[in-house]
Short mmCIF file of all heavy atoms in Angstrom, two decimals:
data_model
loop_
_atom_site.label_atom_id
_atom_site.label_comp_id
_atom_site.label_asym_id
_atom_site.label_seq_id
_atom_site.Cartn_x
_atom_site.Cartn_y
_atom_site.Cartn_z
N PRO A 47 -6.35 -14.40 20.25
CA PRO A 47 -5.74 -14.88 21.48
C PRO A 47 -6.29 -14.14 22.68
O PRO A 47 -6.57 -12.93 22.69
CB PRO A 47 -4.26 -14.63 21.28
CG PRO A 47 -4.16 -14.46 19.91
CD PRO A 47 -5.35 -13.92 19.25
N LEU A 50 -4.56 -11.00 23.92
CA LEU A 50 -4.95 -9.72 23.21
C LEU A 50 -6.19 -9.07 23.71
O LEU A 50 -6.23 -7.88 23.82
CB LEU A 50 -4.95 -10.02 21.66
CG LEU A 50 -4.86 -8.65 20.81
CD1 LEU A 50 -3.48 -7.92 21.05
CD2 LEU A 50 -5.03 -9.15 19.32
N PRO A 94 -5.10 -2.35 12.34
CA PRO A 94 -5.53 -3.28 13.42
C PRO A 94 -4.30 -3.90 14.10
O PRO A 94 -3.23 -3.99 13.46
CB PRO A 94 -6.29 -4.31 12.61
CG PRO A 94 -5.68 -4.33 11.23
CD PRO A 94 -5.42 -2.95 10.94
N ALA A 95 -4.39 -4.15 15.39
CA ALA A 95 -3.35 -4.82 15.95
C ALA A 95 -3.20 -6.33 15.49
O ALA A 95 -2.18 -6.92 15.49
CB ALA A 95 -3.56 -4.85 17.52
N LEU A 96 -4.40 -6.84 15.17
CA LEU A 96 -4.49 -8.19 14.62
C LEU A 96 -5.47 -8.20 13.49
O LEU A 96 -6.66 -7.61 13.67
CB LEU A 96 -4.93 -9.20 15.60
CG LEU A 96 -5.20 -10.66 15.21
CD1 LEU A 96 -3.86 -11.28 14.62
CD2 LEU A 96 -5.71 -11.43 16.26
N LEU A 97 -5.17 -8.78 12.34
CA LEU A 97 -6.02 -8.96 11.28
C LEU A 97 -5.83 -10.44 10.81
O LEU A 97 -4.69 -10.80 10.53
CB LEU A 97 -5.73 -7.98 10.11
CG LEU A 97 -6.69 -8.03 8.92
CD1 LEU A 97 -6.75 -6.68 8.16
CD2 LEU A 97 -6.41 -9.15 7.94
N VAL A 98 -6.92 -11.16 10.70
CA VAL A 98 -6.90 -12.58 10.32
C VAL A 98 -8.03 -12.80 9.27
O VAL A 98 -9.19 -12.44 9.48
CB VAL A 98 -7.17 -13.53 11.52
CG1 VAL A 98 -7.18 -14.93 11.11
CG2 VAL A 98 -6.09 -13.26 12.69
N PHE A 112 -4.39 -14.91 5.44
CA PHE A 112 -3.65 -13.69 5.70
C PHE A 112 -3.65 -13.41 7.15
O PHE A 112 -4.63 -13.58 7.82
CB PHE A 112 -4.25 -12.53 4.92
CG PHE A 112 -3.43 -11.23 5.09
CD1 PHE A 112 -2.17 -11.15 4.47
CD2 PHE A 112 -3.96 -10.20 5.73
CE1 PHE A 112 -1.47 -9.94 4.61
CE2 PHE A 112 -3.19 -8.99 5.86
CZ PHE A 112 -1.98 -8.87 5.27
N VAL A 113 -2.50 -13.07 7.69
CA VAL A 113 -2.33 -12.64 9.07
C VAL A 113 -1.50 -11.35 9.11
O VAL A 113 -0.44 -11.29 8.51
CB VAL A 113 -1.63 -13.76 9.90
CG1 VAL A 113 -1.39 -13.26 11.35
CG2 VAL A 113 -2.39 -15.03 9.91
N GLN A 114 -1.98 -10.39 9.86
CA GLN A 114 -1.07 -9.19 10.11
C GLN A 114 -1.22 -8.90 11.60
O GLN A 114 -2.29 -8.85 12.18
CB GLN A 114 -1.71 -8.00 9.35
CG GLN A 114 -0.90 -6.78 9.46
CD GLN A 114 -1.54 -5.59 8.73
OE1 GLN A 114 -2.72 -5.27 8.89
NE2 GLN A 114 -0.72 -4.80 7.99
N ILE A 115 -0.05 -8.69 12.27
CA ILE A 115 0.09 -8.37 13.67
C ILE A 115 0.88 -7.11 13.82
O ILE A 115 2.00 -7.07 13.33
CB ILE A 115 0.71 -9.57 14.43
CG1 ILE A 115 -0.06 -10.86 14.17
CG2 ILE A 115 0.65 -9.28 15.93
CD1 ILE A 115 0.61 -12.13 14.69
N ASN A 116 0.35 -6.09 14.37
CA ASN A 116 0.92 -4.79 14.56
C ASN A 116 1.04 -4.25 15.96
O ASN A 116 0.00 -4.48 16.71
CB ASN A 116 0.18 -3.80 13.71
CG ASN A 116 0.27 -3.99 12.23
OD1 ASN A 116 1.24 -4.16 11.65
ND2 ASN A 116 -0.94 -4.04 11.66
N ASP A 117 2.07 -3.72 16.37
CA ASP A 117 2.24 -2.96 17.61
C ASP A 117 1.61 -1.62 17.33
O ASP A 117 2.27 -0.79 16.65
CB ASP A 117 3.57 -2.97 18.00
CG ASP A 117 3.72 -2.18 19.43
OD1 ASP A 117 2.73 -1.50 19.85
OD2 ASP A 117 4.76 -2.27 19.98
N PRO A 118 0.39 -1.19 17.95
CA PRO A 118 -0.19 0.03 17.53
C PRO A 118 0.59 1.23 18.08
O PRO A 118 0.41 2.37 17.67
CB PRO A 118 -1.56 -0.07 18.21
CG PRO A 118 -1.39 -1.10 19.23
CD PRO A 118 -0.40 -2.09 18.73
N GLN A 158 5.51 -5.36 6.36
CA GLN A 158 5.26 -4.89 7.68
C GLN A 158 5.10 -3.25 7.71
O GLN A 158 5.97 -2.62 7.25
CB GLN A 158 6.34 -5.19 8.66
CG GLN A 158 6.37 -6.65 9.10
CD GLN A 158 7.33 -6.86 10.27
OE1 GLN A 158 8.54 -6.89 10.10
NE2 GLN A 158 6.70 -7.09 11.46
N VAL A 159 3.95 -2.84 8.17
CA VAL A 159 3.74 -1.33 8.29
C VAL A 159 4.18 -0.87 9.70
O VAL A 159 4.49 0.32 9.88
CB VAL A 159 2.34 -0.96 7.99
CG1 VAL A 159 1.96 -1.24 6.62
CG2 VAL A 159 1.34 -1.58 8.99
N ARG A 160 4.24 -1.81 10.69
CA ARG A 160 4.73 -1.63 11.99
C ARG A 160 5.35 -2.86 12.47
O ARG A 160 5.17 -4.00 11.98
CB ARG A 160 3.61 -1.20 12.95
CG ARG A 160 2.78 0.04 12.63
CD ARG A 160 1.67 0.20 13.70
NE ARG A 160 0.69 1.17 13.27
CZ ARG A 160 0.80 2.46 13.47
NH1 ARG A 160 1.77 2.95 14.14
NH2 ARG A 160 -0.26 3.30 13.11
N ARG A 161 6.20 -2.72 13.62
CA ARG A 161 6.71 -3.98 14.12
C ARG A 161 5.58 -4.73 14.78
O ARG A 161 4.53 -4.23 15.04
CB ARG A 161 7.83 -3.56 15.21
CG ARG A 161 7.30 -2.98 16.45
CD ARG A 161 8.38 -3.03 17.60
NE ARG A 161 7.84 -2.36 18.75
CZ ARG A 161 8.15 -1.14 19.17
NH1 ARG A 161 8.96 -0.31 18.44
NH2 ARG A 161 7.61 -0.71 20.26
N GLY A 162 5.83 -6.03 15.02
CA GLY A 162 4.78 -6.92 15.49
C GLY A 162 4.70 -7.00 16.98
O GLY A 162 5.34 -6.26 17.72
N LEU A 163 3.81 -7.92 17.47
CA LEU A 163 3.66 -8.06 18.91
C LEU A 163 4.11 -9.40 19.50
O LEU A 163 3.87 -9.70 20.62
CB LEU A 163 2.12 -7.91 19.23
CG LEU A 163 1.58 -6.57 19.14
CD1 LEU A 163 -0.08 -6.61 19.16
CD2 LEU A 163 2.04 -5.67 20.21
N ARG A 164 4.84 -10.21 18.61
CA ARG A 164 5.40 -11.42 18.94
C ARG A 164 4.29 -12.38 19.43
O ARG A 164 4.33 -12.98 20.52
CB ARG A 164 6.44 -11.29 20.05
CG ARG A 164 7.72 -10.46 19.61
CD ARG A 164 8.85 -10.50 20.60
NE ARG A 164 9.94 -9.64 20.14
CZ ARG A 164 10.89 -10.12 19.28
NH1 ARG A 164 10.92 -11.35 18.88
NH2 ARG A 164 11.87 -9.26 19.00
N MET A 165 3.25 -12.41 18.66
CA MET A 165 2.03 -13.20 19.10
C MET A 165 1.66 -14.20 18.13
O MET A 165 0.60 -14.84 18.10
CB MET A 165 0.84 -12.26 19.33
CG MET A 165 0.99 -11.33 20.47
SD MET A 165 -0.62 -10.57 20.88
CE MET A 165 -1.51 -11.82 21.72
N LEU A 166 2.59 -14.47 17.05
CA LEU A 166 2.18 -15.46 16.02
C LEU A 166 1.87 -16.81 16.55
O LEU A 166 0.87 -17.49 16.18
CB LEU A 166 3.31 -15.51 14.98
CG LEU A 166 3.04 -16.48 13.90
CD1 LEU A 166 1.74 -15.96 13.07
CD2 LEU A 166 4.24 -16.50 12.88
N ALA A 167 2.66 -17.28 17.54
CA ALA A 167 2.51 -18.62 18.13
C ALA A 167 0.94 -18.60 18.76
O ALA A 167 0.32 -19.72 18.56
CB ALA A 167 3.39 -18.85 19.21
N GLN A 168 0.57 -17.64 19.34
CA GLN A 168 -0.80 -17.62 20.03
C GLN A 168 -1.87 -17.58 18.91
O GLN A 168 -2.88 -18.22 19.17
CB GLN A 168 -0.86 -16.44 20.95
CG GLN A 168 0.03 -16.57 22.12
CD GLN A 168 -0.01 -15.34 23.12
OE1 GLN A 168 -1.02 -15.06 23.66
NE2 GLN A 168 1.09 -14.60 23.21
N VAL A 169 -1.60 -16.79 17.89
CA VAL A 169 -2.58 -16.70 16.81
C VAL A 169 -2.78 -18.17 16.12
O VAL A 169 -3.84 -18.58 15.81
CB VAL A 169 -2.14 -15.72 15.81
CG1 VAL A 169 -3.02 -15.80 14.51
CG2 VAL A 169 -2.25 -14.27 16.29
N LEU A 170 -1.57 -18.86 15.85
CA LEU A 170 -1.65 -20.19 15.30
C LEU A 170 -2.43 -21.12 16.27
O LEU A 170 -3.10 -22.01 15.80
CB LEU A 170 -0.38 -20.67 14.97
CG LEU A 170 0.45 -19.87 13.91
CD1 LEU A 170 1.78 -20.53 13.62
CD2 LEU A 170 -0.36 -19.89 12.55
#
Side-chain angles (χ1 to χ4, degrees):
L50 194 60
L96 174 66
L97 187 155
V98 178
F112 183 69
V113 178
Q114 184 186 46
I115 306 171
N116 296 306
D117 181 346
Q158 286 189 284
V159 296
R160 301 179 192 270
R161 70 168 180 259
L163 289 169
R164 299 185 180 276
M165 295 190 73
L166 181 59
Q168 295 177 63
V169 171
L170 296 181

